[in-house]
């Protein structure tokens, strides 16, 4: 393939995923573009209900259908269009070339199977290892995740491990086939702060080492600052700002991003959760005409309520979907 070196690991264009519900069509993801390169970490940040998880599930081909449906867009893994694949071909790619970890490891682990067996299953299923070799690979993975006495741990059931250890086991499982892409959806939200930091550091280290592209979903700006190279800010099913992490924190251009940053208290802890922008995210079945942030935006003007803003480029790698972005002049100068 020509130009393979600059083909991103993940390339998403104009992704739209809608749900048909009793209240109407929910446009959970409504025209999302994303690129994640080898060894890069892209954060998706936004309040609850903005479409982060549905974006991730769409990429993985795991949207429950019905009620959900990808209505348009392309999703390419290393240049290959995943939407064109048969379900069986997609299943072979999932877990092997791209994998996902969720907020609650208990929901993804089988409570009645030993950790070693579950981890080993990935090796048996995708790589065809025999049982013995699969368990020893599982042990090796747990060790790589800094889990002490992995030879004992492989015999544990999920409930015999702490939350942090379970999430490390999940990361081990997700990374076991050395996927090109890892999607982590709020992977440490359920953990306490110290354990959060350990698990995140480990994930970052392992992904960097192996060149894994990481798509990290979070509502925690502290996690963004710590982990991400670039950030996509999502609101009401759309990306409203893309920036590298420095620019995002120093010169946010979208009023919503600025609001998220203002809601970030000085100290760490659970208080870092985004809760304090005034007003509610809009109902996705009844989006107002114009900018969906208008009812909450301190910079709103008449034009905002009339015309939906397009994504425009402010500088190399910095895009915003707003008629009246902040600090525009300063950056352009
Ligand atoms: N299975 C579903 N049926 C109907 N609506 C859904 C379903 N899954 C998600 N949604 C809707 O899609 C929107 C985005 O959800 P989600 O991606 O989970 O948000 P986030 O992860 O950013 O908190 C929400 O309004 C949610 O209610
Ligand atoms: S377009 Fe208008 S309402 Fe929307 S974020 Fe920008 S200034 Fe605020
Ligand atoms: Mg979510």
């Amino acid at each position: 393939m020509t130009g393979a070196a600059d083909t991103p690991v993940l390339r998403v264009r104009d992704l739209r995923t809608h749900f048909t519900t009793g209240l109407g069509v929910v446009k959970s993801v409504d025209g999302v573009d994303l690129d994640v390169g080898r060894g890069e970490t892209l954060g998706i940040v936004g309040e609850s209900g903005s479409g982060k998880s549905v974006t991730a599930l769409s990429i993985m081909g795991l949207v429950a259908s019905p009620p959900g449906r990808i209505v348009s867009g392309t999703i390419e893994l290393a240049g290959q269009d995943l939407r064109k694949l048969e379900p069986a071909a997609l299943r072979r790619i999932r877990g092997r070339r791209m994998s996902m970890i969720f907020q609650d490891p208990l929901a993804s682990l089988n409570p009645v199977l030993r950790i070693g067996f579950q981890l080993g299953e990935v090796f048996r299923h995708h790589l065809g290892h025999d049982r013995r070799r699969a368990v020893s690979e599982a042990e090796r993975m747990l060790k790589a995740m800094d889990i002490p006495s992995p030879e004992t741990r492989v015999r544990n059931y999920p409930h015999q491990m702490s939350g942090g250890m379970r999430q490390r086991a999940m990361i081990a499982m997700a990374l076991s086939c050395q996927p090109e892409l890892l999607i982590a959806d709020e992977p440490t939200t359920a953990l306490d702060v110290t354990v959060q930091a350990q698990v995140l550091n480990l994930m970052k280290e392992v992904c960097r080492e192996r060149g894994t592209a990481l798509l990290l979903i979070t509502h925690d700006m502290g996690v963004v600052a710590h982990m991400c190279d670039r950030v996509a800010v999502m609101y009401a099913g759309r990306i409203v700002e893309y920036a590298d992490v420095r620019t995002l924190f120093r010169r946010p251009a979208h009023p919503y991003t600025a609001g998220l940053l203002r809601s970030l208290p000085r100290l760490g802890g659970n208080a870092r959760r985004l809760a304090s922008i005034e007003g509610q995210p809009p109902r996705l079945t009844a989006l107002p005409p114009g900018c969906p942030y208008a009812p909450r935006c301190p910079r709103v003007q008449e034009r905002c309520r009339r015309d939906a803003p397009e994504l425009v480029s402010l500088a190399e790698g910095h895009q915003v979907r707003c008629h009246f972005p902040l600090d525009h002049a300063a950056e352009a100068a």
Side-chain angles (χ1 to χ4, degrees), residues 254-256 291-294 297 299-301 304 309 321-325:
H254 199 284
Y256 177 62
C291 174
Y293 192 54
C297 182
R299 290 170 75 82
V300 63
Q301 307 202 22
C304 306
R321 192 186 290 281
C322 173
H323 295 307
F324 306 104

Side-chain angles (χ1 to χ4, degrees), residues 6 23 26 61 86 120 134 219-220 242 248 273 278-279 295 326 329-330:
D6 22 0
L23 294 170
V26 181
E86 296 296 324
H219 57 247
D220 186 330
Y242 285 105
L248 191 92
R273 286 177 186 205
E278 263 181 53
L326 294 124

Side-chain angles (χ1 to χ4, degrees), residues 46-54 57 103 185-186 217 219:
E47 288 164 301
S48 177
S50 53
K52 305 181 299 295
S53 293
V54 174
L57 293 170
Q103 177 173 335
D185 189 357
E186 313 257 6
I217 295 175
H219 57 247

Side-chain angles (χ1 to χ4, degrees), residues 79-317:
Q80 182 177 26
D81 190 346
L82 301 180
R83 287 196 64 214
K84 297 215 172 102
L85 294 178
E86 296 296 324
L90 188 58
R91 268 198 303 277
R92 278 194 298 275
I93 286 180
R94 211 164 37 223
R96 184 167 186 165
R97 292 185 50 202
M98 59 179 186
S99 51
M100 181 160 169
I101 47 182
F102 300 87
Q103 177 173 335
D104 179 9
L106 272 185
S108 348
L109 286 166
N110 188 327
V112 301
L113 296 176
R114 296 179 199 271
I115 288 290
F117 180 85
Q118 299 191 52
L119 250 172
E121 202 160 56
V122 183
F123 293 105
R124 286 195 301 280
H125 175 69
H126 286 297
L127 304 179
H129 290 2
D130 65 30
R131 212 182 155 114
R132 210 195 175 94
R133 173 142 182 236
V135 173
S136 82
E137 282 293 314
E139 236 180 84
R140 197 179 53 79
M141 283 304 296
L142 291 181
K143 195 166 172 202
M145 288 295 131
D146 283 343
I147 293 182
S149 7
E151 62 292 344
T152 326
R153 287 296 173 188
V154 288
R155 290 198 292 275
N156 277 180
Y157 292 96
H159 73 269
Q160 293 173 302
M161 291 178 144
S162 67
M165 211 176 276
R166 275 198 296 265
Q167 195 57 303
R168 279 188 228 191
M170 286 307 298
I171 296 171
M173 207 184 295
L175 292 174
S176 55
C177 291
Q178 312 230 359
E180 293 144 72
L181 172 69
L182 176 66
I183 301 181
D185 189 357
E186 313 257 6
T188 57
T189 305
L191 307 176
D192 75 51
V193 181
T194 339
V195 181
Q196 243 187 53
Q198 288 165 357
V199 171
L200 287 171
N201 284 338
L202 195 67
M203 192 161 74
K204 187 172 177 172
E205 213 173 278
V206 177
C207 287
R208 281 270 149 83
E209 241 165 47
R210 300 176 175 189
T212 313
L214 176 60
L215 184 63
L216 178 66
I217 295 175
T218 178
H219 57 247
D220 186 330
M221 282 298 206
V223 171
V224 169
H226 184 66
M227 294 288 289
C228 300
D229 302 307
R230 284 185 307 121
V231 189
V233 180
M234 204 162 172
Y235 190 78
R238 297 195 157 171
I239 307 287
V240 297
E241 182 159 10
Y242 285 105
D244 64 76
V245 72
R246 251 174 104 92
T247 305
L248 191 92
F249 280 86
R250 293 193 173 178
R251 274 193 305 234
H254 199 284
Y256 177 62
T257 312
L260 290 182
L261 291 168
R262 266 196 306 275
S263 72
L264 183 76
R266 299 287 149 243
L267 292 170
N270 285 337
R272 275 195 314 210
R273 286 177 186 205
L274 313 172
S276 44
I277 299 183
E278 263 181 53
Q280 293 293 316
R283 286 218 326 270
L284 297 178
T285 44
L287 284 179
C291 174
Y293 192 54
R296 302 168 79 186
C297 182
R299 290 170 75 82
V300 63
Q301 307 202 22
E302 210 171 298
R303 182 179 170 201
C304 306
R305 303 193 202 275
R306 202 177 51 227
D307 308 329
E310 298 289 325
L311 199 64
V312 295
S313 193
L314 298 179
E316 173 79 34

